[in-house]
Amino acid sequence: MSKEAISYRDAGVDIDAGDALVEAIKPLAKRTLRAEVLAGIGGFGALCGLPKKYREPVLVSGTDGVGTKLKLAFSLARHDTIGIDLVAMSANDVLVQGAEPLFFLDYFACGKLQVDVAAEVVKGIARGCELAGCALIGGETAEMPGMYPRGEYDLAGFCVGVVERSRILDGRAIRPGDAILGLASSGAHSNGYSLIRKILERGAKPPFDLLEPTRIYVKSVLALLDALPVKGLAHITGGGITGNVPRILPKGTRARIRKAAWPRPELFQWLQREGNVAEDEMVRVFNCGIGMAVVLAPADAEPAARALRAAGETVYEIGSIEAGAGEPEAIVV
């Protein structure tokens, strides 16, 4: 007795849908291309040269996802901005080394490919790449039946940037007395969403857009790096200010952060109130309104703040560097 023929589609994988998605995203990716890109979407690998302006170019790479913020995107059926978050998390990380993001790749995995949903996600990724000035040159779409609940997907992103070796930011120039500027966040960015979702389970309806995408600081900060001697940058992600600022400090220093130096956005006040979240937990989990920290010599703080504000950033002088004993730390006062 002959067995019935089975196709890949019968097993849950639709090759035609994957091909349709590739065609749908090609024009989106094309808008992000840089002069250095030699080959883009569709090949086995994407080719990209190095910008000729660098004499000793050093590549800087970063990878990240968007965490359980995806769960809110699923529940609200909103998929057009989550891709901006994906780019932001890696591009901002690459930026803190002083690097210019060069290109980006994404990984989209699902149980059943819905071309319209995936295209919305990639639309956001392309928009994020435009904001970061990097090229979307490739990625992977994986349709894996049985791996994900119906209507859900997972995302990962990979960013490569380039920096002149002599201009790598590693924090070694930071000294006691230096000033710390804080650049305002656009919301919770992509961190703390497991706690946010736990708070939402209590039934409160937030008067905020919890899917507001992560702010991308690349263009304004790169312009600042060309104008003034920045000593260090910290992307305020998981771990908050207390967990991220010490990552760029040399031994024998600590950061004193004045939380009264900036207004805490109502979103974080609401989360703290509705979740009865302790203050120490708030500053350890959320960015609390500051998405990027910039360390400079005191004389450069005001010119830097003016330049960043002219570039569209909201800026506060949030603290200073002081001598410390032992390992670097950040103290919020």
Side-chain angles (χ1 to χ4, degrees), residues 11-12 107 109-112 142-150 152-154:
Y107 176 78
C110 60
K112 178 65 176 176
E143 189 175 19
M144 299 182 286
M147 284 290 290
Y148 299 93
R150 182 177 178 82
E152 296 193 2
Y153 54 82
D154 199 9

